[in-house]
Amino acid sequence: MGARIVGTGAALPQRCVSNAELAGSVDTSDAWIVQRTGIRTRYLLGEGETPSSLGVTACRRALEAAGRRTEDVDLLVVATTFPDMTCPGTSAFVAQDLGLEGTPFFDLTAGCTGFVYGLAMAGAYIAAGLGERVLVLGFEALSRVVDWSDRRTCVLFGDGAGAVLLERGSSEEGILGVSLRGDPSKALLLHTPAGGTRRPASHATVEAREHFLRMEGSGVFRSAVPLMREAMDRALHAASMSREEVDWIIPHQANVRIIDAFADRLGLPRERVVINVDRVANTSAASIPIALDEAVRDGRIRPGHAVVLTAFGAGVTYGAVALRM
Ligand code: UT7
């Protein structure tokens, strides 16, 4: 039994913010951001917007593309690092707004690798015969958790959501190989010090700005290429597929320099790599499904194409899925 993607959808906030606009409030410049990251714009939620509503829109679009209704969904998996509330999970709000009744739902936290982990779990759920269709959503509202006075992080991220509907199919189609990995020795490369149960929010933690995301950028940067490479090669091996057979690679969209180095070291032609980080910035767990949806809708990725999704993120988690559309 296999599981294949039968519909994709994405949603971005309305407000598009340029580097020049950010440079008006943070000590940075368009030139620095473009040279170091390739990012030119990002989409940010407005003050009154509810983050999970983006996820609901992405799910609706994926269902519509698949020609399915909410009643057809057997499981909802929401990959997100920063939920709407710490309890309950964002999946409860997404399920509520979609009108799911009795359908199981859960959040999955695996940093920027969350969507890849979620897709693999959804495929395993279907393969185990537990359901026929799983909606997998990658969703983040990073603008609400970055420190807007910290130029080392705030310029890098954007908000967004991307979803796929995974449906039972034959074993020759859909997900063909998976590799999920982790390196917990790097757990603090990306972290939010306070607000969890280890260090609950207090006046002191808020004053020390410990409820904002912190990142050791160069440590993450150095790890990114080898980790994505290892995961991709393992997933291709599991799929009995060579790099040459892959039509499209969708790496996590964190930084154009990371994507370029990844493609160069693996000898992958840039025309086969999907890149949108220049426009949407790093949307963490949403980055791969947003890029996938763009490439499906503009006709680059077509039925029958072999695609590899590969990511790394907080944890450190990393992983890849090789599939046939
Ligand atoms: O999704 C997974 C999570 N994140 C990532 O994947 C991010 C991975 N890391 C990166 O993309 C890069 O490490 C960054 C883009 C974050 C930083 O690039 P870098 O080339 O590693 O720069 P750096 O951190 O070594 O900083 C170089 C200089 C520093 O100044 P000094 O100490 O040399 O005077 C920074 O203070 O650039 C400064 N700087 C900035 N300057 C202007 C850092 N951020 C900015 C900024 N604008 N926004």
Side-chain angles (χ1 to χ4, degrees):
M1 219 187 305
R4 67 184 194 91
I5 293 174
V6 291
T8 66
L12 295 169
Q14 297 217 318
R15 187 168 161 238
C16 180
V17 178
S18 68
N19 294 341
E21 197 178 334
L22 283 188
S25 54
V26 189
D27 179 18
T28 189
S29 65
D30 176 57
W32 191 95
I33 302 171
V34 171
Q35 194 206 352
R36 299 289 177 123
T37 70
I39 296 167
R40 292 177 187 276
T41 56
R42 73 283 293 141
Y43 291 82
L44 304 180
L45 282 160
E47 263 175 38
E49 287 181 86
T50 306
S52 57
S53 59
L54 279 182
V56 174
T57 304
C59 286
R60 288 214 174 99
R61 288 180 179 155
L63 284 170
E64 197 180 288
R68 296 286 178 192
R69 296 172 308 166
T70 48
E71 300 87 286
D72 301 322
V73 176
D74 296 318
L75 172 69
L76 168 69
V77 180
V78 178
T80 187
T81 319
F82 300 100
D84 273 28
M85 295 182 186
T86 47
C87 177
T90 290
S91 52
F93 301 116
V94 175
Q96 187 179 47
D97 288 355
L98 283 176
L100 295 183
E101 278 175 31
T103 309
F105 51 81
F106 65 88
D107 283 26
L108 185 156
T109 305
C112 303
T113 321
F115 179 79
V116 168
Y117 267 53
L119 191 65
M121 294 302 148
Y125 193 83
I126 291 172
L130 296 172
E132 284 197 25
R133 283 176 210 97
V134 182
L135 202 46
V136 186
L137 169 67
F139 149 78
E140 301 283 10
L142 286 146
S143 67
R144 302 276 170 96
V145 296
V146 294
D147 183 345
W148 284 101
S149 66
D150 177 9
R151 67 178 184 176
R152 292 166 303 166
T153 49
C154 72
V155 303
L156 306 173
F157 298 103
D159 302 330
V164 301
L165 184 69
L166 201 65
E167 187 170 290
R168 190 157 75 193
S170 78
S171 54
E172 293 83 49
E173 57 187 3
I175 296 176
L176 302 173
V178 168
S179 170
L180 300 183
R181 311 280 295 163
D183 179 359
S185 70
K186 297 189 172 80
L188 292 179
L189 278 184
L190 271 130
H191 74 293
T192 306
T197 50
R198 188 184 286 203
R199 196 158 158 67
S202 67
H203 286 297
T205 62
V206 171
E207 266 167 34
R209 309 185 80 75
E210 290 176 352
H211 55 298
F212 290 124
L213 176 70
R214 293 185 183 177
M215 182 176 72
E216 206 219 288
S218 57
V220 180
F221 194 100
R222 280 195 305 275
S223 307
V225 172
L227 297 185
M228 287 200 295
R229 174 191 189 146
E230 180 196 331
M232 177 170 124
D233 284 347
R234 283 174 183 272
L236 285 175
H237 181 74
S240 304
M241 206 185 270
S242 68
R243 283 183 197 161
E244 291 67 38
E245 288 174 81
V246 178
D247 296 296
W248 291 101
I249 291 145
I250 309 185
H252 170 47
Q253 308 286 311
N255 184 324
V256 162
R257 283 160 61 212
I258 293 176
I259 297 174
D260 282 347
F262 173 70
D264 278 357
R265 275 182 221 157
L266 271 72
L268 305 167
R270 215 168 182 269
E271 316 79 71
R272 280 166 43 203
V273 182
V274 179
I275 303 174
N276 69 0
V277 64
D278 51 322
R279 284 174 289 115
V280 303
N282 181 348
T283 57
S284 186
S287 93
I288 286 181
I290 293 173
L292 172 67
D293 180 63
E294 271 187 24
V296 166
R297 284 178 194 262
D298 68 20
R300 275 175 291 169
I301 295 185
R302 295 193 296 276
H305 276 172
V307 179
V308 175
L309 317 174
T310 181
F312 63 96
V316 166
T317 56
Y318 59 109
V321 171
L323 55 89
R324 198 166 289 286
M325 294 294 290

